[in-house]
Amino acid sequence: MTAYPNMKASGVSWVAAMPAHWEMKRMRESFSFRKGLSITKANLEARGIPVISYGQVHSKSNSGVGLCEKLLRFVNPSYLDTSANALVAKNDFIFADTSEDLAGCGNCAFIDSDKYPIFAGYHSVIAHPLLNGNIKYLAYLFQSESWRHQIREKVNAVKVYSITQKILKDIFLLLPPTDEQDQIVRFLDWKVSGINRLINIKKKEIARLGELKKTIVNEAVTHGINPNIPMKSSGVEWLGDIPEHWNTLKLKRISKERKEKQLYTPNTTDKYIGLENIKRDSEQLIITKSEYDKSIQNFCHKGDLLFGKLRPYLSKVIVCPYDSCCTNELLVLYSFAGNIHFLRYVMVSKSFIQIVDSSTYGAKMPRANTNYIMNMFVPLPPIEEQNLIVKYLNKQIGRIDSIIDRVIKQISLLQELKARLISDVATGQLDVRNIEVPKYEYVEENSDADPDSDDESEDVTDEED
């Protein structure tokens, strides 16, 4: 690939030069615009016609061109006016009209299917192309970091960045001839598919390593680390056989539930731990931009064990690193006489999580009952053996995590390569007109396998019964 032989100054800041034969137009000349539909929480709890929500446009659309059906939230059609302008169609682009950070400005979803009637949520702007040409070329252009830069230059921010129809109407488009648009799409589909294939292989490797971690932990906390030790029946279904010198006790017999409350005050030194701050299958805390109002919250102390009751399959279990307020979706345990890290490994083990998860109630927000968890039997080796198991697991899990981190970095580099390629080709920095595209099978990037994806986009405000 080489640069175009004839380039000209673009006259805009976001791309210095463009092919001499390309056009530049403002979006107002090439798109019609309308607003999304206002949807209430009650609507979202029902099932029916799919609605694209702000969170899905904002966080998911950049993973590829198009919109996956699984990203849609559903509302009952009886709540909706089917003549509303918010009903979107094939080739519509749905822009999130707000963003929590500058990097998210310009995120959009591309409707590449007319399989379903779909509504756009209130926090969105629908843009419909009026020009002839290959619409998928525009989808690639809109993914370009260069193109999105001009939106970031225009947005205003107080608490969030607002992307208005006026801003979008003033944004420039680069428009190659139609046959060149077709070739750009053919080329990018081919190259992006190849990169996606590599990314998916890496994600499968991460999934395999994650399962290996779970197997190692499960084996160690139920059978110990000495393969020659005599075994006995535990009498507990999820445990099976355990070393004959181990005991089993109900969780409530070896620990206590902390029910302490404290006033949380934002914008102070007060700390807060929400479910979104806990990385799944890890003790790592994640810094987020979540904001919490001043209110009375649960309180946890350094060294307490925190277990996520909401969607327990996410395996959000950590030893609290500092005194903090925390969400009531965390079961807070203290007063364990053994090694608290051993108890964490027990409660994050695959078998324990499966049993807890099978007990959950609530279709939309599956949640485990505290009493159920506290009445579960857990294995209890002597303290010296607990320490040895923790040391062994820390070493084994640490090795696997270091491999996972390396693969995650490789995925990040591949995604950066894909983004750079899309930007360079869609903005005319690379000439692909004479490149022959071979036959291939298109591969989407598998977002389900994202190593850090927790599917936490929905509210978590429901109270436990």
Side-chain angles (χ1 to χ4, degrees), residues 11 32 55 122 136 168 200 262 272 275 344 366 397 430 460:
S32 63
Y122 178 71
K136 199 171 182 181
L168 290 174
N200 291 344
Q262 181 168 306
Y272 188 90
L275 285 177
R344 177 195 171 268
I397 300 307
L430 292 174
V460 290

Side-chain angles (χ1 to χ4, degrees), residues 10 17 31 72 75 80 85 89 126 138 146 151 159 176 218 224 241 309 317 319 330 333 347 405 427-428 450 456:
S10 67
F31 281 82
L72 303 176
V75 300
L80 303 174
N85 285 334
I126 307 166
L138 294 174
S146 300
I151 296 179
K159 288 187 176 181
N218 208 77
D241 291 344
K309 297 180 292 181
V317 190
V319 176
L330 289 167
L333 299 178
M347 295 184 71
D405 288 342
T427 61
D450 286 344
E456 291 290 348

Side-chain angles (χ1 to χ4, degrees), residues 211-276:
E211 285 301 313
L212 177 61
K213 279 173 57 175
K214 292 177 181 179
T215 299
I216 291 173
V217 170
N218 208 77
E219 180 68 18
V221 300
T222 58
H223 298 153
I225 55 178
N226 182 353
N228 300 316
I229 202 76
M231 306 291 283
K232 68 178 181 182
S233 173
S234 67
V236 180
E237 184 178 356
W238 79 269
L239 278 175
D241 291 344
I242 60 173
E244 64 178 9
H245 63 289
W246 287 19
N247 292 321
T248 58
L249 289 170
K250 286 186 176 181
L251 188 56
K252 67 181 180 182
R253 302 300 180 196
I254 58 174
S255 64
K256 297 179 181 178
E257 179 191 1
R258 191 180 297 282
K259 299 180 179 180
E260 189 174 339
K261 301 285 185 179
Q262 181 168 306
L263 177 66
Y264 170 73
T265 306
N267 303 317
T268 66
T269 58
D270 287 357
K271 294 182 173 65
Y272 188 90
I273 298 176
L275 285 177
E276 66 275 15

Side-chain angles (χ1 to χ4, degrees), residues 30-50:
S30 308
F31 281 82
S32 63
F33 295 86
R34 60 194 192 278
K35 190 77 171 113
L37 184 72
S38 180
I39 304 295
T40 67
K41 182 180 178 182
N43 300 153
L44 291 171
E45 290 173 348
R47 294 279 179 179
I49 295 179

Side-chain angles (χ1 to χ4, degrees), residues 29-295:
E29 303 174 61
S30 308
F31 281 82
S32 63
F33 295 86
R34 60 194 192 278
K35 190 77 171 113
L37 184 72
S38 180
I39 304 295
T40 67
K41 182 180 178 182
N43 300 153
L44 291 171
E45 290 173 348
R47 294 279 179 179
I49 295 179
V51 170
I52 301 170
S53 72
Y54 157 79
Q56 287 144 0
V57 173
H58 186 270
S59 65
K60 299 289 187 181
S61 60
N62 263 352
S63 61
V65 178
L67 184 72
C68 297
E69 295 170 21
K70 60 181 174 292
L71 301 183
L72 303 176
R73 301 173 83 174
F74 291 82
V75 300
N76 191 306
S78 65
Y79 290 108
L80 303 174
D81 176 6
T82 54
S83 65
N85 285 334
L87 184 64
V88 298
K90 185 176 181 180
N91 293 335
D92 277 347
F93 291 87
I94 305 167
F95 289 85
D97 70 356
T98 57
S99 176
E100 295 178 356
D101 54 38
L102 198 58
C105 293
N107 280 357
C108 70
F110 171 49
I111 305 299
D112 60 355
S113 171
D114 54 7
K115 184 176 180 180
Y116 299 108
I118 300 172
F119 285 85
Y122 178 71
H123 289 291
S124 62
V125 175
I126 307 166
H128 183 74
L130 303 175
L131 39 72
N132 295 322
N134 193 318
I135 305 304
K136 199 171 182 181
Y137 162 73
L138 294 174
Y140 275 125
L141 179 65
F142 292 167
Q143 288 184 71
S144 163
E145 284 297 305
S146 300
W147 183 86
R148 287 153 60 92
H149 178 75
Q150 58 183 322
I151 296 179
R152 295 167 187 163
E153 288 184 323
K154 296 177 181 292
V155 293
N156 299 312
V158 180
K159 288 187 176 181
V160 297
Y161 293 87
S162 299
I163 301 95
T164 63
Q165 289 189 42
K166 183 179 184 302
I167 288 174
L168 290 174
K169 288 177 180 179
D170 285 337
I171 296 302
F172 285 100
L173 301 173
L174 286 175
L175 296 174
T178 300
D179 60 343
E180 202 166 331
Q181 293 178 30
D182 294 340
Q183 172 64 5
I184 287 172
V185 169
R186 281 193 296 267
F187 175 83
L188 285 178
D189 279 353
W190 169 45
K191 287 296 186 180
V192 166
S193 176
I195 296 173
N196 287 345
R197 188 185 301 275
L198 293 175
I199 290 173
N200 291 344
I201 290 171
K202 299 292 183 183
K203 288 181 176 181
K204 286 180 180 179
E205 184 178 354
I206 289 175
R208 180 184 61 80
L209 290 168
E211 285 301 313
L212 177 61
K213 279 173 57 175
K214 292 177 181 179
T215 299
I216 291 173
V217 170
N218 208 77
E219 180 68 18
V221 300
T222 58
H223 298 153
I225 55 178
N226 182 353
N228 300 316
I229 202 76
M231 306 291 283
K232 68 178 181 182
S233 173
S234 67
V236 180
E237 184 178 356
W238 79 269
L239 278 175
D241 291 344
I242 60 173
E244 64 178 9
H245 63 289
W246 287 19
N247 292 321
T248 58
L249 289 170
K250 286 186 176 181
L251 188 56
K252 67 181 180 182
R253 302 300 180 196
I254 58 174
S255 64
K256 297 179 181 178
E257 179 191 1
R258 191 180 297 282
K259 299 180 179 180
E260 189 174 339
K261 301 285 185 179
Q262 181 168 306
L263 177 66
Y264 170 73
T265 306
N267 303 317
T268 66
T269 58
D270 287 357
K271 294 182 173 65
Y272 188 90
I273 298 176
L275 285 177
E276 66 275 15
N277 300 119
I278 302 174
K279 187 174 181 179
R280 65 188 305 175
D281 294 315
S282 171
E283 283 205 87
Q284 180 181 339
L285 282 180
I286 304 169
I287 304 301
T288 68
K289 296 182 180 180
S290 303
E291 294 185 5
Y292 307 95
D293 295 330
K294 183 176 182 179
S295 60

